[in-house]
Amino acid sequence: MSRLLLILCLLALLPLPVSARLAGPPEVGSQTRSSRDLPAIRSSGELRVLVNQSRNSSGSVKGQSIGVEYHRLRAFEQYLNRNSRDGRSLTLKIIPKAKDQLLGALQRGEGDLVAPGELLNVRTGHDVSASTAIRREVPLVLVSKQGNRHYRSLEQLAGRSLSLPAGSAVGEALRRINQQLADRKLPPIVVEWVDPTLAVEDVLEMVQAGIFERTAVELPIAERWAKVMPKLRVDRHLVLARDGDMKWFVRPDAPMLRASIDRFFSGYQSPADQDAAFQRVYRRLYKVHSPLGRAERQRLEKVRSVLQQHARQQEFDWLLLAALAFKESTLNPSARGANGATGLMQITPAAARSVGVSNIQNVDGNVQASSKYLAMIRRNFFNSPQLNERERMAFVLAGYNLGPQRVQSLRAEARRRGLNPNQWFFQVERVAMEQMGMGVVSYVNAVNKYYLAYDRERYLLEPQRQRLTAN
């Protein structure tokens, strides 16, 4: 027994394996990953492409490709198939992810290639291989609404804010600029990281609407969206950085795929009309405007108590009902729409009767019918605990606009394609875009933007909360 104890003590003094001494999980770069270079990709018949989920980078509307990466990716697909030695064709599998999740997904082997369509910062711990540059030294420029104050220099932005989507390359540029401002004893430029349901094009639309004061994006993106958002002003002279290159990314253990990408880019030229479908589809869609002007606030105040009462009874955020009302009628109780839709919430008589409300001509009955109808859709179709509340409400809004059964069919198709059926934004909405066009997608996005605009000023819109805080 004593000899066994002595042996155990001696073993305890030996150095442990490195993995046993790590505090927390091992780094991503140290994980074992299966190699999948071009020969394995060709054998599978499928090139898995991780794309930035924003509609700027990827997206198709009724068969028309509108994402900036789609033209390049389809051309690369044709290039690979032309150079196939065994004659076997290769197809692309598009996998949309949030921009800040792309490189991690690549490292985990969830895809073979990352095509972000924007500048993508490679942080420490991201063991990836970058392609040759698609576009070099891309400027990051200030974008605001026409008529807003002009700034001559970045120093004049000290103490002001920029609204940025998650993963924006501007964040890193601002860290350097703010250090320079600090050296001059000036306050920093403040970053407002916006809600994750908003991509770069959503932020630009909210800038055009006057909801956000300003943002900063890659110059090619600003110029592209200015074609369909004519009230944007691109301040090309205010460059936050120009040291970033647009690239694709692969894993380091895929050198043959990387070499093929570089050879492809050496001879690739973007088609002159690549934005024709983009402009045709989007020209009339981006019409969100601010719900927080003086007249709009006055209209909201007139119906606030009714919205709050029925929101409370059906367990909704009253600002969500306000956002829906602003989208449906611009808060006009006398509004009349198609198919008998009427009033503040543009509810139809048939929908009202389905939840036991007969009079929708007055504001109280109109809001009551709408809130009960929304609650019925939530209860009967989107009550799964797998849905978080933001996505649940997006599905409810889509059901309010399109019909809940049709939304459920979109979720089933998303699941079949490998998309997340529990995420409307950037996932199920992709199926809706492809099958039905932008109608329901624009509808949900608009209500979401109005809700976020209201939520930013919740304190000012809820006098009772102000009084409680003061007390």
Side-chain angles (χ1 to χ4, degrees):
M1 184 68 177
S2 60
R3 180 177 296 179
L4 178 61
L5 183 60
L6 177 61
I7 292 172
L8 290 174
C9 291
L10 290 173
L11 287 173
L13 295 175
L14 292 175
L16 291 172
V18 173
S19 60
R21 288 186 277 119
L22 285 175
E27 294 181 4
V28 172
S30 66
Q31 293 177 353
T32 302
R33 300 166 300 180
S34 59
S35 177
R36 185 179 153 96
D37 204 353
L38 193 54
I41 293 169
R42 288 193 181 280
S43 296
S44 73
E46 186 176 76
L47 175 64
R48 301 168 303 162
V49 184
L50 293 155
V51 296
N52 181 2
Q53 63 189 9
S54 90
R55 290 169 290 278
N56 174 71
S57 299
S58 64
S60 175
V61 178
K62 289 191 172 181
Q64 299 184 88
S65 297
I66 54 174
V68 292
E69 287 291 13
Y70 269 26
H71 298 282
R72 285 191 284 260
L73 286 169
R74 295 305 175 191
F76 183 53
E77 177 186 36
Q78 295 170 6
Y79 170 84
L80 290 176
N81 288 333
R82 282 197 308 268
N83 291 278
S84 174
R85 294 180 180 178
D86 58 7
R88 296 178 62 182
S89 63
L90 190 68
T91 59
L92 301 183
K93 180 181 180 181
I94 303 299
I95 306 171
K97 294 276 187 182
K99 183 180 176 183
D100 54 2
Q101 297 175 11
L102 289 171
L103 295 182
L106 177 68
Q107 290 181 281
R108 292 190 298 272
E110 297 175 21
D112 307 305
L113 163 67
V114 167
E118 302 177 21
L119 292 178
L120 194 57
N121 291 329
V122 180
R123 299 188 297 272
T124 303
H126 282 151
D127 186 17
V128 296
S129 177
S131 74
T132 188
I134 300 169
R135 182 163 179 166
R136 297 186 181 278
E137 298 180 348
V138 178
L140 295 169
V141 298
L142 190 76
V143 180
S144 58
K145 182 181 180 181
Q146 289 187 13
N148 285 4
R149 175 184 171 181
H150 279 272
Y151 295 95
R152 296 187 302 274
S153 65
L154 294 177
E155 286 78 6
Q156 290 183 313
L157 290 172
R160 303 189 181 276
S161 65
L162 288 180
S163 301
L164 301 178
S168 170
V170 177
E172 179 61 34
L174 278 181
R175 277 190 281 274
R176 299 193 296 265
I177 292 172
N178 282 337
Q179 183 57 58
Q180 297 170 6
L181 293 175
D183 294 341
R184 301 179 187 182
K185 311 299 184 187
L186 294 173
I189 300 172
V190 179
V191 176
E192 178 187 0
W193 293 106
V194 301
D195 192 85
T197 60
L198 303 177
V200 60
E201 64 274 10
D202 298 308
V203 176
L204 288 170
E205 184 182 19
M206 293 175 81
V207 168
Q208 173 177 251
I211 297 170
F212 296 146
E213 286 290 325
R214 62 193 71 83
T215 187
V217 300
E218 294 88 334
L219 179 59
I221 295 175
E223 291 177 334
R224 185 177 196 235
W225 286 92
K227 296 174 185 175
V228 296
M229 299 182 192
K231 295 181 182 179
L232 288 179
R233 187 184 73 216
V234 182
D235 291 328
R236 294 170 178 81
H237 65 289
L238 290 178
V239 178
L240 285 78
R242 61 167 73 249
D243 56 352
D245 299 337
M246 285 189 177
K247 301 175 179 179
W248 286 357
F249 299 88
V250 300
R251 283 168 34 172
D253 54 6
M256 296 177 69
L257 177 60
R258 156 76 191 276
S260 292
I261 293 170
D262 289 348
R263 285 193 297 270
F264 163 71
F265 279 137
S266 67
Y268 174 75
Q269 289 186 341
S270 299
D273 63 343
Q274 69 171 354
D275 277 349
F278 162 82
Q279 292 183 56
R280 187 167 55 252
V281 168
Y282 280 147
R283 183 174 292 119
R284 296 179 178 86
L285 287 178
Y286 285 83
K287 294 186 175 180
V288 162
H289 55 280
S290 175
L292 293 166
R294 179 179 297 179
E296 290 80 6
R297 287 176 187 267
Q298 290 174 349
R299 289 201 296 271
L300 178 61
E301 181 58 27
K302 289 180 181 179
V303 296
R304 176 173 57 82
S305 61
V306 177
L307 292 171
Q308 288 177 324
Q309 174 191 344
H310 291 293
R312 185 166 54 251
Q313 290 175 357
Q314 303 301 330
E315 298 183 342
F316 287 120
D317 184 341
W318 80 276
L319 290 180
L320 176 72
L321 295 187
L324 179 58
F326 190 82
K327 168 60 180 172
E328 290 286 1
S329 68
T330 61
L331 298 173
N332 177 10
S334 302
R336 295 290 182 270
N339 302 318
T342 188
L344 194 71
M345 311 301 287
Q346 289 295 282
I347 187 88
T348 64
R353 286 194 299 269
S354 71
V355 291
V357 180
S358 57
N359 183 6
I360 55 173
Q361 301 307 312
N362 60 63
V363 172
D364 184 76
N366 198 273
V367 176
Q368 180 189 34
S370 179
S371 61
K372 291 182 73 173
Y373 189 66
L374 288 166
M376 182 271 292
I377 293 174
R378 179 180 60 188
R379 180 176 61 255
N380 292 347
F381 295 93
F382 306 112
N383 202 31
S384 169
Q386 294 180 328
L387 298 174
N388 68 43
E389 286 308 308
R390 290 302 305 283
E391 296 295 344
R392 188 190 317 281
M393 288 317 304
F395 282 117
V396 170
L397 290 170
Y400 190 82
N401 176 255
L402 194 64
Q405 292 89 348
R406 296 180 74 184
V407 176
Q408 292 291 51
S409 69
L410 295 176
R411 294 180 70 195
E413 176 62 15
R415 182 182 290 107
R416 188 188 69 79
R417 296 190 192 184
L419 299 171
N420 185 352
N422 296 324
Q423 181 183 333
W424 169 264
F425 295 104
F426 310 116
Q427 296 285 312
V428 176
E429 75 167 23
R430 296 177 74 87
V431 182
M433 288 166 60
E434 294 171 17
Q435 293 186 356
M436 302 174 182
M438 287 295 295
V440 67
V441 176
S442 297
Y443 180 87
V444 176
N445 282 344
V447 178
N448 183 52
K449 288 165 188 169
Y450 293 141
Y451 171 76
L452 293 173
Y454 283 142
D455 192 48
R456 291 174 85 226
E457 300 202 16
R458 183 181 294 272
Y459 177 80
L460 297 175
L461 298 174
E462 296 181 343
Q464 183 179 6
R465 177 173 294 197
Q466 293 181 46
R467 289 194 295 270
L468 289 172
T469 304
N471 291 336

